[in-house]
Amino acid sequence: MIPRKFEYFAPRSIKEATSLLKKFGPDAKILAGGVSLIPVMKLRFGSPAKIIDINRIPGLEYIRASGGRLNIGALTRHAELERSKTVKDRVFLLSETASVIGDPQVRNMGTIGGSLSHSDPSGDWGAAIIALRGELTIQGPRKRRRMKVDDFLVDTFTSALQPDEILTEISVPIPPARSGGAYMKLERNLGDFATAAVAVQLTIDPKGVCTSAGIGLTAVGPKNLRAEKAENVLVGHPLTPKTLEEAAAAAAEDAQPIPDPLRGSAEYKKEMTRVYARRGIERAISRAKGGKK
Amino acid sequence: MKINGKSHSDMVEPRLLLVHYLREVVGLTGTHVGCETTSCGACTIIYNGKSIKSCTMFAVQADGAELKTIEGLGEEGNLHPIQQAFWDNHGLQCGFCTPGFIMQTYWLLRENPTPTDEEIRQGLGGNLCRCTGYQNIIKSVKAAAKEMKK
């Protein structure tokens, strides 16, 4: 279908963008990659009266390693994160996550900031940034604030953004040596949303004891979830097969899936969370030992 | 904006999709509309060097951009190697998905001039074909890559 009519703005600065957001309030929607927003508008599931295209604002697309953190501009496209050498070398989980979002064209268009702001419970980035314990920077007309990703993702399609605010940066700590991450996504076919997906990031000490673990879940709850029970099973313990089984079972308990007529019952999604958590933890351990972060 | 090297300038409604602009305002009907859900890739074109789905972009977003459509790739009597490869290897039947596949292949081979079979399958994941079952499309892309490496 054809979208309803709207007024289009293409500000050249964050200041201009946030002041437009303040002026128009809930009538306005930010356009970044457009691969979530425009399909919604074409189906007329949502018809914002004002569209604020932020693609012409300079300085929002970047990947920078600095002070032990990887800082990513909100407009950075999934494809950039997939192929960046900096990302692959330092935080491989991000590259693996990017590689299973949508399809190549969608990855050329979509942005990490747009995805997180959209707060789709089936969004892949939420789980990865949870696993990495990332922090997000939000810019309003006058104030800038920074918060943990867990606080940013509030509910289904609901972020902590106020109507006059824009997400500008995503920052994650660069994992230390003997760390590994993995994103395991079960999908019906290439390009689909996840049936269930698990992001794992962990660090192991020389004796094989897990010193830190982050586990994020996709498509098995009202929003991306932290598998806290599973994390607690791992941290401070040697990573034996029994521990992994327990952690995987705990991840299934952490999941709160809503039955999906297309992708599976709650029971099925819980079971797939268990299986994919197990596989994700195994893969992360293997990468931690093998040197790829 | 520039389309296939030629400048175009038009006043359009913000809600006009880029694919409809190309087809109905500019008259370049080689780019096709195949679905309503950003799934099929029949609308794939090159936008500032990147392959994108033109059904999921507003024409106004392409202000000042450089676009390449299937019409910009070759012509009768002087086919681009990718077009020639699809012809030689029977990589199409009805042809509806073909411009999208060819533009995506064009982008893929620039990113990765020597893709493996698996990389081709992943690289074409955003394009759907209802006729061929994909085998000859993969063959065509491999043949094009081989020819273009020369």
Side-chain angles (χ1 to χ4, degrees), chain A residues 1-8 31-35 38-39 41-44 51 53 55-56 77 83 99 103-109 190, chain B residues 13-15 17 20 36-39 41 44 50-53 55-58 60-64 104 107 111 121-127:
Chain A
M1 264 188 291
I2 295 176
R4 282 193 215 278
K5 289 190 195 223
F6 56 85
E7 261 186 279
Y8 171 84
L31 171 61
V35 283
I38 296 181
M41 292 175 69
K42 285 166 71 176
L43 293 171
R44 298 199 176 186
I51 294 295
D53 179 350
N55 289 284
R56 294 179 196 271
R77 314 283 154 175
R83 64 164 156 253
S99 74
D103 59 56
Q105 290 94 315
V106 165
R107 291 196 285 278
N108 281 338
M109 301 164 78
L190 193 156
Chain B
E13 267 194 301
R15 64 172 167 164
L17 299 173
H20 290 139
E36 280 289 356
T37 50
T38 315
S39 316
T44 302
K50 300 192 288 190
S51 65
I52 60 122
K53 292 185 168 180
C55 70
T56 308
M57 189 179 276
F58 299 118
V60 289
Q61 290 178 259
D63 184 29
Q104 182 58 16
W107 177 83
E111 289 286 302
R121 287 170 182 280
Q122 292 287 323
L124 300 179
N127 294 74

Side-chain angles (χ1 to χ4, degrees), chain A residues 38-230:
Chain A
I38 296 181
V40 162
M41 292 175 69
K42 285 166 71 176
L43 293 171
R44 298 199 176 186
F45 286 161
S47 299
K50 323 275 185 202
I51 294 295
I52 299 168
D53 179 350
I54 58 170
N55 289 284
R56 294 179 196 271
I57 299 176
L60 285 176
E61 268 190 81
Y62 56 86
I63 300 169
R64 285 182 211 132
S66 156
R69 298 189 73 88
L70 195 67
N71 300 320
I72 303 162
L75 268 185
T76 307
R77 314 283 154 175
H78 309 312
E80 271 315 300
L81 290 157
E82 181 185 3
R83 64 164 156 253
S84 154
K85 187 169 189 308
T86 306
V87 172
K88 284 186 191 177
D89 287 346
R90 308 209 193 198
V91 197
F92 189 76
L93 170 59
L94 293 175
S95 174
E96 185 157 64
T97 304
S99 74
V100 294
I101 295 173
D103 59 56
Q105 290 94 315
V106 165
R107 291 196 285 278
N108 281 338
M109 301 164 78
T111 67
I112 182 170
S115 170
L116 287 165
S117 302
H118 188 50
S119 303
D120 189 335
S122 297
D124 298 296
W125 281 124
I129 305 302
I130 284 173
L132 288 161
R133 295 199 158 76
E135 290 172 19
L136 276 39
T137 302
I138 296 166
Q139 182 72 52
R142 272 191 312 274
K143 267 187 328 180
R144 178 185 298 173
R145 49 195 188 123
R146 185 161 159 135
M147 65 174 67
K148 297 197 172 105
V149 64
D150 305 59
D151 298 326
F152 181 81
L153 299 169
V154 171
D155 203 343
T156 313
F157 297 110
T158 310
S159 75
L161 288 169
Q162 293 300 305
D164 59 1
E165 287 179 320
I166 300 177
L167 173 62
T168 55
E169 185 181 87
I170 298 95
S171 174
V172 298
I174 294 174
R178 274 190 312 275
S179 294
Y183 189 62
M184 308 294 295
K185 178 175 178 178
L186 173 62
E187 52 185 356
R188 293 177 300 164
N189 55 274
L190 193 156
D192 195 12
F193 286 108
T195 295
V198 183
V200 180
Q201 180 69 41
L202 44 78
T203 307
I204 320 178
D205 79 8
K207 297 202 198 82
V209 170
C210 178
T211 54
S212 97
I215 302 179
L217 306 179
T218 300
V220 290
K223 56 175 183 168
N224 292 107
L225 297 172
R226 178 176 296 284
E228 218 172 324
K229 288 200 190 96

Side-chain angles (χ1 to χ4, degrees), chain B residues 13-29:
Chain B
E13 267 194 301
R15 64 172 167 164
L16 181 69
L17 299 173
L18 181 56
V19 67
H20 290 139
Y21 173 72
L22 291 169
R23 292 177 55 80
E24 293 165 25
V25 177
V26 185
L28 294 170
T29 54

Side-chain angles (χ1 to χ4, degrees), chain B:
Chain B
M1 65 173 84
K2 269 219 177 101
I3 305 173
N4 302 327
K6 195 165 153 232
S7 287
H8 291 263
S9 185
D10 288 286
M11 290 286 284
V12 302
E13 267 194 301
R15 64 172 167 164
L16 181 69
L17 299 173
L18 181 56
V19 67
H20 290 139
Y21 173 72
L22 291 169
R23 292 177 55 80
E24 293 165 25
V25 177
V26 185
L28 294 170
T29 54
T31 305
H32 297 157
V33 179
C35 68
E36 280 289 356
T37 50
T38 315
S39 316
C40 79
C43 65
T44 302
I45 64 164
I46 309 296
Y47 167 94
N48 289 341
K50 300 192 288 190
S51 65
I52 60 122
K53 292 185 168 180
S54 63
C55 70
T56 308
M57 189 179 276
F58 299 118
V60 289
Q61 290 178 259
D63 184 29
E66 285 198 29
L67 308 183
K68 194 192 268 291
T69 69
I70 187 71
E71 291 89 349
L73 212 54
E75 58 210 353
E76 227 177 293
N78 186 23
L79 294 180
H80 189 279
I82 298 173
Q83 292 171 306
Q84 188 65 49
F86 271 71
W87 176 257
D88 293 337
N89 291 279
H90 196 44
L92 67 151
Q93 290 178 29
C94 82
F96 192 81
C97 72
T98 309
F101 267 101
I102 290 178
M103 296 317 289
Q104 182 58 16
T105 301
Y106 176 82
W107 177 83
L108 175 64
L109 294 180
R110 281 165 86 92
E111 289 286 302
N112 182 358
T114 52
T116 60
D117 274 29
E118 186 55 33
E119 285 168 338
I120 294 173
R121 287 170 182 280
Q122 292 287 323
L124 300 179
N127 294 74
L128 303 177
C129 174
R130 299 294 277 128
C131 293
T132 66
Y134 302 102
Q135 304 282 20
N136 286 343
I137 292 176
I138 314 275
K139 252 182 99 189
S140 302
V141 174
K142 282 175 80 171
K146 191 162 171 212
E147 181 60 30
M148 288 165 71
K149 253 194 87 192
K150 286 189 190 160

Side-chain angles (χ1 to χ4, degrees), chain A residues 258-272:
Chain A
I258 299 150
D260 179 345
L262 295 177
R263 296 180 185 84
S265 65
E267 214 175 273
Y268 177 68
K269 281 176 170 251
K270 260 191 191 272
E271 177 59 11
M272 290 305 103

